[in-house]
Amino acid sequence: MWTIIVVILGIIGYKYLDSSGKNKLANAYNVHISNFEPELVSIFNIDEINNIAQTSNNKDELIFNSGVTSVVNNENFKFVEDEESEGIEFSIPTGEGMRRMFHKENKNTPLKTIQEDDLLVKKQIIEFINTQGIKVFITKDRYSELKKINITFAKDE
């Protein structure tokens, strides 16, 4: 009888501590996301697109000036008539969504706290946005101009 009570209390205690750790991680992600949001808006800006490349499965890959790349599904590419209508839409992740998506990665290297300027977390936020997909509203003129740009690499790259 006492053994069953101890086991039940142990399970309840473990669940409580586990959920507390998950909440701390989700809150840490939320803080980092809110601090990184202005930079995200400048990274995923239509004027920051350096080139539009073609992937092996005929999807467009946006290459931004910051070095970030995003593969865009054809249905998420919308052509607009004027430059005022151009833009990029993306959803800002939540801390809970980040915690769930990177659960396995965080399990191997537990993130109970996140440093203020953690590059891994910034990379994860960008990966989350790319996974969710971005919508691009662009004029046909700018699209064709960005598709024509040829990228040249250094000799040994």
Side-chain angles (χ1 to χ4, degrees), residues 122-137:
K122 287 183 178 183
K123 180 182 168 190
Q124 287 178 336
I125 293 170
I126 290 171
E127 185 179 338
F128 186 95
I129 290 171
N130 283 333
T131 302
Q132 299 300 313
I134 63 174
K135 290 185 180 179
V136 179
F137 301 92

Side-chain angles (χ1 to χ4, degrees), residues 5-124:
I5 292 173
V6 169
V7 169
I8 290 173
L9 289 176
I11 291 171
I12 291 171
Y14 172 77
K15 290 291 186 184
Y16 173 76
L17 291 175
D18 186 47
S19 68
S20 175
K22 288 178 182 177
N23 287 337
K24 284 181 184 177
L25 185 58
N27 290 338
Y29 270 126
N30 280 329
V31 169
H32 209 289
I33 291 165
S34 65
N35 291 340
F36 190 46
E37 190 170 348
E39 195 173 335
L40 285 172
V41 171
S42 68
I43 289 172
F44 290 103
N45 186 330
I46 194 78
D47 294 324
E48 291 296 311
I49 299 174
N50 186 356
N51 187 12
I52 300 177
Q54 197 80 26
T55 64
S56 60
N57 55 354
N58 292 330
K59 292 184 180 180
D60 288 323
E61 181 175 20
L62 304 178
I63 302 170
F64 293 92
N65 289 331
S66 63
V68 171
T69 62
S70 288
V71 176
V72 180
N73 293 329
N74 293 336
E75 64 269 5
N76 289 338
F77 240 107
K78 308 290 183 196
F79 289 108
V80 294
E81 296 298 320
D82 54 16
E83 290 182 9
E84 289 82 34
S85 302
E86 288 185 321
I88 296 177
E89 288 182 4
F90 60 94
S91 58
I92 300 292
T94 63
E96 181 62 21
M98 292 284 297
R99 185 193 65 74
R100 285 184 182 161
M101 181 170 178
F102 296 104
H103 173 71
K104 287 183 180 177
E105 192 173 313
N106 292 338
K107 205 172 202 175
N108 295 336
T109 57
L111 292 174
K112 297 300 179 198
T113 61
I114 297 174
Q115 304 301 320
E116 186 173 328
D117 192 28
D118 194 337
L119 294 177
L120 170 66
V121 175
K122 287 183 178 183
K123 180 182 168 190
Q124 287 178 336

